[in-house]
Every structure is written in structure tokens, then in C-alpha cells.
Amino acid sequence: MTTACYPGSFDPVTNGHLDVVKRATRLFDEVVVAVLENPSKRPLFTVDERVEMLRRATAEFDGVKVGTFQGLVVDFCHQVGADVIVKGLRAVTDFDYEMQMAQMNKRMGIESAFLAAKPDYTYLSSSLMREVVALGGTIDGLVPDFVIERLKEKFAKP
Ligand code: PNS
């Protein structure tokens, strides 16, 4: 049985993330989405909110679990029995950082596998989604509809 860990901030989950999860379920027996709990990053959504959105968005997928972690992703991999870290690569701009992390994680005992982002989603990022909604723009089709509502609630004027 091969378990993959898909780590990230997911603040919030995008359709690009969901495409990676879905494709990973076809390659690995189990995919554990690992939400980084890092208060120093000052996320827009709490870790519980991010987990809840991911659980809802992946409810129809087979073999997906969602968990949280602090500290090293390789330690989380050992805890959940993951053999490999799976990540999406959107563009060459992701490459340097992802390569550094993959090499360091390999040194610490865990392999990485990269999935080329679907062309429709290469420009997506959680930060761009937050910014566009905060400034009144539309992101239909780029995140699940319920995530758009959550973003609007966060940026609603009191
Ligand atoms: O969605 P993000 O913020 O780009 O995800 C980055 C993440 C969470 C994958 C990365 O920061 C990470 O793995 N953090 C955990 C700490 C760790 O293991 N650092 C060493 C990596 S070599």
C-alpha cells in the first residue's frame, strides 16, 4: 500500500489543489492532505476552517484523508506512514523552491513526486484568490463555489 502526503497551506483550497489531489488518488492507494498549522504565516482561514473546506471539497474522492501538521513534513509522513510527498508544479517559478525542499526531504528519508499542473490552473494561487475577492473581483470556476462564499464572508464589511 502506497500512501502519499500532499502538504500545503491551503488558505484556501483551489481547484488547482483539488486537481492534484484527484490525480494523486489514481497513482497512490491513499492520499493524506496535510494542512500546515503555522501561526507565524498569519493565514486568512484558521486551520480548522481550512481542514473543513478541504474535507468538503474532497468528500467525493476515494482514498483521501485530511490532517494537520506542525514542524517538519517528513515527521508527519512518518506518523501517517506516507512513503512519498506529492506536489503540483505550476511553472518554472515553482521549480527552484520545490527542488530545494524535495532534495532536503529526500535527505531526511522521504521521496517527492511532482504532478504538472493542469494548464487551466497554472496561474492559480491561494494568495491570488484572496486578493481578487478582497478587491471585489470574481474567481468563478477557480475554487469550489462554497469557498467563494467563505472568502466573501471574510472580506465582508461589518
Ligand atoms: O502551500 P505552501 O505554503 O506553498 O506549502 C509549503 C509547505 C507547507 C509544503 C512547506 O512550507 C513545508 O513543507 N513546510 C513544513 C516545514 C518543513 O518540512 N520544512 C522543510 C522542508 S525541506
Side-chain angles (χ1 to χ4, degrees), residues 114-149:
F114 294 101
L115 294 179
K118 191 172 168 183
D120 301 1
Y121 298 142
T122 47
Y123 63 97
L124 288 198
S125 69
S126 297
S127 58
L128 207 55
M129 300 300 96
R130 296 194 300 269
E131 183 175 327
V132 171
V133 174
L135 298 173
T138 53
I139 55 168
D140 299 8
L142 303 180
V143 302
D145 288 346
F146 73 87
V147 172
I148 298 178
E149 295 312 313

Side-chain angles (χ1 to χ4, degrees), residues 7-10 17 34 36 41 69 71-74 87 97-98 100-102 104-105 108:
S9 301
F10 305 106
H17 294 133
L36 177 65
K41 271 190 122 181
F69 76 107
L72 289 175
V73 68
V74 291
K87 299 291 291 281
Y97 181 52
E98 292 296 343
Q100 281 182 345
M101 286 198 292
M104 186 60 80
N105 287 328
M108 295 189 282

Side-chain angles (χ1 to χ4, degrees), residues 8-111:
S9 301
F10 305 106
D11 187 33
V13 61
T14 69
N15 285 350
H17 294 133
L18 294 172
D19 180 56
V20 172
V21 178
K22 185 163 213 166
R23 288 160 61 200
T25 63
R26 297 187 196 121
L27 298 170
F28 305 103
D29 300 306
E30 181 178 67
V31 178
V32 182
V33 182
V35 182
L36 177 65
E37 192 174 354
N38 181 0
S40 68
K41 271 190 122 181
R42 296 173 57 87
L44 177 65
F45 291 97
T46 66
V47 70
D48 289 343
E49 289 171 327
R50 286 178 277 147
V51 166
E52 190 267 320
M53 286 188 280
L54 272 159
R55 290 214 170 112
R56 184 166 165 188
T58 60
E60 306 292 306
F61 301 173
D62 282 335
V64 175
K65 288 183 183 162
V66 182
T68 65
F69 76 107
Q70 296 181 338
L72 289 175
V73 68
V74 291
D75 289 338
F76 181 80
C77 288
H78 289 128
Q79 272 169 37
V80 298
D83 319 280
V84 58
I85 294 167
V86 68
K87 299 291 291 281
L89 273 186
R90 290 167 297 188
V92 70
T93 42
D94 282 339
F95 185 81
D96 279 350
Y97 181 52
E98 292 296 343
M99 191 66 150
Q100 281 182 345
M101 286 198 292
Q103 285 166 336
M104 186 60 80
N105 287 328
K106 166 72 181 151
R107 196 169 177 274
M108 295 189 282
I110 300 285
E111 292 283 4

